[in-house]
Amino acid sequence: MTVRGLIIDWGGVLTTPLREAVGAWIVAEDIDVDGYKVVMREWFIDAYAGDGPVSPVHGLEDGSLPAAEFERTLAERLRTRTGEQVVAEGLLTRMFAAFEPVEPMYEVLRKARAAGVRTCLLSNSWGNTYPRELFAELFDQVVISGEVGLRKPDPAIFRHALDLLGLPSEECAFIDDIEHNTNAAERLGIVGVHHTDVDVTVSRLEELTGVSLR
């Protein structure tokens, strides 16, 4: 069946990879990388396990934990390589400051829409500043986790996106750089596209939609 709807993540798909942005921030602020990894590993396991305590990542993404409180909580766990406290205020803005748009992926959305394919942004927000001035050009619908009180990989947020698009799951593809999320989408009958490389993803979406997207 030809895909008629594209549901797409933002950070790491429409932007340069998360690891690059975080890596630049770690270097710029001389963060103790081992300490950072310990915290993130713990918080991400709790956020995706589904049966443990609610992680600060979970709370940040679904909007139940204010970004400023997340920044304070994270800053308390981090140190620079010389043992200094990390500044909490503006931490998330600084962490993602190196995000850059990936123009070939933006072009996918423009060409897909021009061919009649419906598009939806589905993003787990970390208090990010989105290019909202481009939303009308790129998306038919927008779902940002903290604004709807849901987060990936919760099935409810995928169903919400499908309802907004007005399409059945089997006629939609979901593109994300986190495989846990694409697996969750696939369990609902959505075609999952785990994004690791722009050219590979674009080729896969051309196969699914039957549209030239380059």
Side-chain angles (χ1 to χ4, degrees):
M1 182 176 293
T2 300
V3 161
R4 298 195 296 131
L6 298 180
I7 304 171
I8 191 165
D9 180 38
W10 184 68
V13 177
L14 295 176
T15 74
T16 45
L18 175 62
R19 65 180 180 277
E20 293 182 9
V22 171
W25 163 71
I26 285 173
V27 170
E29 300 199 17
D30 200 29
I31 304 294
D32 173 31
V33 67
D34 291 333
Y36 169 80
K37 287 180 178 179
V38 167
V39 177
M40 286 295 102
R41 187 178 300 115
E42 171 191 329
W43 286 5
F44 270 96
I45 287 173
D46 289 345
Y48 282 94
D51 55 1
V54 174
S55 162
V57 168
H58 189 149
L60 177 65
E61 291 179 342
D62 71 10
S64 61
L65 180 69
E69 185 174 342
F70 178 90
E71 289 178 327
R72 288 192 295 271
T73 302
L74 179 56
E76 288 173 359
R77 297 284 303 271
L78 298 180
R79 292 291 184 275
T80 67
R81 291 193 300 167
T82 56
E84 297 176 6
Q85 181 77 48
V86 175
V87 176
E89 185 176 359
L91 190 154
L92 289 171
T93 297
R94 302 194 311 275
M95 182 184 289
F96 299 114
F99 264 166
E100 295 291 340
V102 178
E103 188 56 36
M105 294 304 299
Y106 279 49
E107 193 63 14
V108 163
L109 296 170
R110 296 186 186 100
K111 291 190 173 181
R113 291 191 80 199
V117 178
R118 295 180 61 76
T119 63
C120 178
L121 175 68
L122 179 52
S123 174
N124 277 359
S125 174
W126 277 44
N128 303 107
T129 300
Y130 294 91
R132 293 178 185 267
E133 69 279 4
L134 299 178
F135 280 8
E137 171 191 350
L138 300 173
F139 306 111
D140 293 290
Q141 301 291 341
V142 171
V143 179
I144 295 174
S145 63
E147 297 176 6
V148 298
L150 299 166
R151 63 184 283 276
K152 298 174 289 184
D154 186 340
I157 199 169
F158 293 105
R159 294 192 184 103
H160 181 58
L162 292 171
D163 288 343
L164 291 176
L165 286 177
L167 293 171
S169 59
E170 64 270 16
E171 293 186 14
C172 292
F174 170 63
I175 307 98
D176 199 297
D177 61 325
I178 297 178
E179 194 170 14
H180 197 92
N181 291 334
T182 56
N183 289 341
E186 288 174 345
R187 287 193 288 271
L188 297 174
I190 301 168
V191 180
V193 179
H194 180 214
H195 176 78
T196 59
D197 177 85
V198 171
D199 287 337
V200 172
T201 294
V202 175
S203 294
R204 178 61 175 146
L205 295 180
E206 287 179 330
E207 292 174 4
L208 292 170
T209 61
V211 176
S212 177
L213 301 172
R214 300 171 196 270

